[in-house]
Amino acid sequence: MEQLTSHIIGTGSYLPEKRLTNADLSQMVDTTEEWIFSRTGIRERRIAAPGELTSDLAVEAAKRALDAADLPADQLDLIILATTTGDLLYPATATIVQHKLGISATNIPAFDIQAVCSGFMFALSTADAYIRSGLARRILVIGAETNSRIIDWSDRGTCILFGDGAGAVVVEAAAKSASGSTILSTHIHSDGAHCDLLQTTGGISSGPPEGQKGPGLGFVSMRGNEVYKQAVKALGQIVDKTLEANQLQREQLDWLVPHQANIRIIQSTAKRLKMDIKQVVLTVEQHGNTSAASVPLALDEAVRDGRIQAGQLILLEAFGAGFTWGSALIRW
Ligand code: COA
C-alpha cells in the first residue's frame, strides 16, 4: 500500500470586529504608543465582543476553511482545536464547535490540545500523525483564542501583547505521489523546566490566585525578557532541525509563517534563516499575539492574498508557554 501524506486543502480565519489600539492602551495603563510599537511591532489587536466565545471565533474560521476546501462539514472525521482559552473548563471546546457546525450526529471525535502559543503546531502535528497512520482522512485543525479574557488589564507588561482571533485548516489524506499542498514534516518539543516564566496566576488544582475566592483561573503572568531569550534560542534550533530533517537548505525556503508574538523575535529567526523580511508573513502589527490562532491566521492571509503559491516551500513555527515549540515544513 502506498504511504499516506497530509494535504492542506483549505484555510480560513476570523477576527472579532473590535480593535484595541496602542493609543487606547495608553489611556488604560502607564505606556505610550511608541513604547509598544518599538518593543513589539504591535499597533492594534482585536478583542472579542461580550458573549462572543472562543467556539464562535473557531466556527467562523472553520466554515471559511471548509468553504475553501469545498468540503461539507459532515465529511470530516476528526476535529482538533488548539486553545488555552476554551469556552468552559469542560467539555472540550472542540465538541462545542462540532455542535455549532451542525455535525454532532456524525459522532466523529473532537478534542482540544493545549500547548498555548505553540498549540496550532501541536494540533497540526497530531493531525499529520492521524493521517499518516490511516486513522483519519479529513481533519479540521483549528487554533482559536479569546486571550482578552485572561489578561490583567492593569499589567502593562502583558496587556499590550495579546489579541483574540481564530484560524483553521482542513487536512486530507493523499497518496505520497499525489500533487497538492503537502506537509513534509512536523516537529514539536516541550521543556517544563521554565513553566514559571510564563503562566497563569491561578488554576484548578493549584487553586485561585492569592486573595481570590472560588475556582479563579487567574491572569497571564510573564517574565517577558527571559521568555524572549528562550524563544529566540528554541526557534533558532528548530528551524535548523526542520531543514536538516528534510535535507533542504535555508535558501530553498520561499516563506516563513511564524508565530506572531513580537517583531524582534521574528526578525531574529528570519536573520538566522538568512531570509529577507519580505519573505516573512507578518500580521503582528494588526493582530498582536493571538496565541494558538496566530500561525493559521497568518497562513490564511498569505494564501488568500496570493503571496503563497503552489510549489513553494513554507516553514511554519511557534513558541509558547511550557515551554513548548514546534514547526512544520510544507510544499504548497
Ligand atoms: N510600557 C512602558 N514601559 C513598560 C511596559 C509598557 N507597556 N512594559 C514594561 N515596561 C517597562 C518595565 O517596567 C521596565 O521598566 P524598569 O526598567 O523601570 O523596570 C522596562 O520597561 C523594561 O522592561 P523589560 O521587561 O525588560 O522590557 P523588554 O524590552 O523586555 O520588553 C516585552 C518587554 C514584554 C515587550 C518583551 O520582553 C517581550 O516581547 N518578550 C517576549 C514576550 C512574548 O513574546 N511572550 C509570548 C511568547 S509566546
Side-chain angles (χ1 to χ4, degrees):
M1 206 178 87
E2 193 173 11
Q3 217 182 322
L4 292 170
T5 55
S6 308
H7 279 188
I8 295 184
I9 59 165
T11 66
S13 61
Y14 176 78
L15 289 163
E17 298 237 321
K18 187 184 165 189
R19 293 166 198 265
L20 184 72
T21 65
N22 291 354
D24 297 331
L25 281 164
S26 69
Q27 306 295 310
M28 296 159 63
V29 288
D30 182 12
T31 191
T32 62
E33 292 181 61
E34 172 52 23
W35 194 97
I36 302 171
F37 184 67
S38 64
R39 300 288 176 116
T40 67
I42 302 168
R43 285 197 196 277
E44 62 178 37
R45 63 293 287 145
R46 301 295 184 93
I47 304 295
E52 191 174 30
L53 306 182
T54 294
S55 61
D56 297 320
L57 310 188
V59 165
E60 285 309 313
K63 283 182 178 166
R64 291 171 192 190
L66 287 162
D67 271 357
D70 199 17
L71 187 77
D74 63 5
Q75 299 299 301
L76 292 167
D77 50 20
L78 175 63
I79 299 173
I80 308 177
L81 171 66
T83 188
T84 306
T85 49
D87 294 6
L88 298 163
L89 178 60
Y90 64 79
T93 303
T95 62
I96 301 171
V97 169
Q98 181 198 36
H99 180 59
K100 287 184 176 174
L101 285 173
I103 55 166
S104 302
T106 60
N107 292 172
I108 61 165
F111 59 83
D112 291 357
I113 278 189
Q114 208 269 47
V116 203
C117 295
S118 312
F120 182 77
M121 303 318 310
F122 277 60
L124 192 64
S125 183
T126 306
D128 188 43
Y130 266 86
I131 297 269
R132 284 172 188 262
S133 64
L135 284 173
R137 295 195 60 80
R138 293 192 185 105
I139 308 177
L140 176 60
V141 185
I142 314 169
E145 304 281 8
T146 47
N147 285 313
S148 59
R149 307 269 155 79
I150 56 163
I151 294 299
D152 175 354
W153 290 103
S154 66
D155 175 11
R156 68 178 182 171
T158 52
C159 75
I160 57 160
L161 299 172
F162 296 95
D164 301 338
V169 298
V170 180
V171 182
E172 186 177 57
K176 202 164 181 194
S177 55
S179 65
S181 171
T182 308
I183 299 178
L184 302 179
S185 71
T186 65
H187 307 263
I188 53 173
H189 297 279
S190 306
D191 177 358
H194 304 290
C195 50
D196 59 325
L197 297 181
L198 179 53
Q199 60 182 13
T200 57
T201 52
I204 302 307
S205 63
S206 329
E210 223 175 289
Q212 189 181 312
K213 288 192 183 130
L217 294 175
F219 294 117
V220 174
S221 140
M222 178 176 69
R223 305 225 290 272
N225 220 316
E226 289 164 70
V227 173
Y228 182 93
K229 286 181 210 148
Q230 296 286 342
V232 167
K233 193 170 128 203
L235 289 171
Q237 286 168 354
I238 203 168
V239 296
D240 289 351
K241 185 179 162 179
T242 308
L243 289 171
E244 201 183 299
N246 291 280
Q247 295 174 317
L248 288 164
Q249 305 301 316
R250 52 195 175 193
E251 298 75 33
Q252 293 173 270
L253 286 173
D254 292 293
W255 290 104
L256 175 65
V257 184
H259 172 45
Q260 312 279 326
N262 179 311
I263 189 71
R264 291 182 298 149
I265 298 176
I266 296 172
Q267 283 163 342
S268 116
T269 309
K271 195 171 160 202
R272 183 175 186 120
L273 289 167
K274 291 199 164 54
M275 288 179 89
D276 191 294
I277 201 72
K278 290 196 187 100
Q279 293 174 274
V280 183
V281 180
L282 294 173
T283 57
V284 65
E285 190 171 331
Q286 296 83 29
H287 302 173
N289 181 348
T290 57
S291 275
S294 92
V295 170
L297 262 163
L299 180 67
D300 183 49
E301 194 171 294
V303 168
R304 281 176 193 263
D305 69 20
R307 270 177 289 173
I308 293 182
Q309 295 283 327
Q312 291 184 328
L313 197 59
I314 321 291
L315 179 60
L316 316 184
E317 49 86 340
F319 177 88
F323 289 125
T324 55
W325 61 104
S327 65
L329 193 68
I330 302 168
R331 175 67 71 186
W332 204 260

